[in-house]
Amino acid sequence: MLKRVYSLMALGLFCCLGANQAGARELVLAFENTLQESTSLDAMARSQMLVRNLAIAGVPQAMFLIKTENMGAKNSDRVALYSDKGHLLVNAGHNHSLVSKSDLYAYEIGILKANRILEQFSGYKKHIHFSTLHEVADTGIQRGLIEFLRERDYQPAFTGFNNARGIDAYIDQLYQKKIRNNRRVDMAALEKTYVELMLQPLQRQDEYLFNMLGYSPRQVLVIQENDLAAYFIVALVDELVAQGWTMIAAEKAMNDPLVNPIAQGGWGANSYLHGLTGLPELPVAYPRVIGERQAGVDRLLQLQVPGFIE
């Protein structure tokens, strides 16, 4: 009888959680390739515009993936700006991809270097992001690295897989080329197309996961820290909210023991959705904008922003 009571209580709790999840579409914004040099915007001006527009859009806390190799005085001021405005700083290594070498010691040194630089900022809480950790072929090195992180109380930061990732970097490359050549850009049309291209893959993935799981799992939308992000982030977030997404604080999501991939026994960036769905992890962090994928982006740009692609 007691066992039955516990079972009913557990079922009731599960149903309550399921009901909450079914009605929620929660999203974290993460910025990668941070600390890029000045382009059409001065680098500091870009960061200032970005944090100002994040506040205007009502984003409670974004996540900034920081590689520290280029942390000079000016870039240190940019990181301090993100930190002082309440955003979460994430250790993304020092001077190399954390999975680009086959030497465990090199990974550890890079992590420790970045940690030493970032620990001066209040927005850094020892979260680590490995954009392609799951691609490591040497499982011994991977296990050693995970053990290294756990022993030193680092926390994983996840992003998950999303087909929107990298599209904005491609569009920004085209935009910078136009600006360098002193060519006019229809910014209103480009903003509309940027938002559409970033949201379509997210919406498709959410529909797929909802059909599989019966609810919309919390997701992370990864955005490049570039000029177009600074210009268009308000329009992007406004459309996300209009489509039913709620922006949540990055730290809340990363520290949630129920959905953080460490609860699934892994540190890979894609482990979150893998742990929820049981589907195999994808072999790449995100697909490159080439081939058919680039052709699809180009078609929409040519249709909605005539003359943008020359």
Side-chain angles (χ1 to χ4, degrees):
M1 179 65 181
L2 188 59
K3 182 182 293 186
R4 176 175 173 78
V5 171
Y6 285 146
S7 297
L8 290 172
M9 289 174 63
L11 179 61
L13 177 60
F14 176 80
C15 290
C16 288
L17 289 173
N20 288 338
Q21 288 175 315
R25 300 177 75 204
E26 296 182 332
L27 188 71
V28 173
L29 297 186
F31 291 90
E32 69 176 351
N33 290 326
T34 53
L35 308 187
Q36 295 184 58
E37 296 180 354
S38 298
T39 49
S40 63
L41 284 175
D42 173 77
M44 175 56 83
R46 181 198 306 135
S47 293
Q48 291 170 336
M49 182 184 297
L50 182 58
V51 296
R52 181 173 65 249
N53 286 341
L54 284 169
I56 291 171
V59 176
Q61 184 191 50
M63 181 166 68
F64 286 82
L65 313 181
I66 308 290
K67 286 188 178 180
T68 55
E69 180 181 21
N70 298 319
M71 185 79 84
K74 186 171 184 178
N75 280 341
S76 182
D77 289 343
R78 294 170 66 193
V79 174
L81 174 66
Y82 299 145
S83 177
D84 293 344
K85 296 299 181 180
H87 298 293
L88 182 66
L89 307 181
V90 175
N91 182 335
H94 181 66
N95 61 348
H96 61 282
S97 169
L98 294 178
V99 294
S100 64
K101 298 181 179 180
S102 58
D103 183 352
L104 175 60
Y105 181 70
Y107 297 142
E108 295 171 350
I109 292 300
I111 291 167
L112 293 174
K113 281 183 178 178
N115 182 78
R116 185 174 64 250
I117 293 170
L118 291 172
E119 63 185 0
Q120 63 181 295
F121 302 103
S122 61
Y124 176 59
K125 307 296 173 58
K126 295 188 72 173
H127 289 88
I128 301 284
H129 181 269
F130 303 110
S131 61
T132 53
L133 181 61
H134 58 286
E135 296 181 30
V136 174
D138 191 323
T139 57
I141 289 179
Q142 185 172 352
R143 285 194 300 269
L145 184 55
I146 291 172
E147 186 64 24
F148 170 84
L149 296 169
R150 285 176 171 162
E151 287 177 352
R152 289 159 180 80
D153 297 323
Y154 287 100
Q155 301 296 320
F158 63 87
T159 56
F161 182 92
N162 188 279
N163 272 309
R165 194 167 179 180
I167 288 176
D168 49 344
Y170 173 66
I171 300 173
D172 188 72
Q173 289 171 4
L174 297 174
Y175 171 75
Q176 299 300 335
K177 181 180 177 181
K178 297 284 285 187
I179 297 302
R180 286 194 302 270
N181 293 332
N182 295 315
R183 304 298 296 273
R184 178 185 174 276
V185 176
D186 184 340
M187 294 300 286
L190 184 60
E191 178 184 75
K192 178 182 177 182
T193 308
Y194 172 98
V195 170
E196 184 175 340
L197 285 166
M198 292 296 286
L199 292 195
Q200 279 183 348
L202 179 68
Q203 291 295 95
R204 286 195 295 266
Q205 178 166 284
D206 178 68
E207 290 169 3
Y208 175 78
L209 292 171
F210 184 88
N211 288 334
M212 173 183 288
L213 302 171
Y215 67 92
S216 293
R218 184 177 292 161
Q219 295 206 49
V220 180
L221 180 61
V222 181
I223 303 171
Q224 308 293 309
E225 185 206 62
N226 57 32
D227 293 3
L228 295 186
Y231 289 137
F232 299 157
I233 195 65
V234 174
L236 178 61
V237 173
D238 284 350
E239 185 60 27
L240 282 163
V241 172
Q243 293 186 14
W245 293 94
T246 298
M247 303 297 107
I248 65 169
E251 195 170 358
K252 174 185 176 182
M254 297 305 116
N255 292 343
D256 188 335
L258 295 179
V259 298
N260 195 300
I262 193 172
Q264 307 295 337
W267 279 71
N270 292 347
S271 295
Y272 167 50
L273 293 179
H274 164 70
L276 286 175
T277 64
L279 295 173
E281 291 190 60
L282 294 164
V284 295
Y286 60 91
R288 295 171 61 194
V289 185
I290 57 176
E292 292 184 7
R293 189 168 186 245
Q294 179 179 333
V297 173
D298 287 348
R299 280 195 296 270
L300 191 62
L301 286 168
Q302 289 170 336
L303 177 66
Q304 297 188 175
V305 196
F308 187 67
I309 296 178
E310 299 177 344

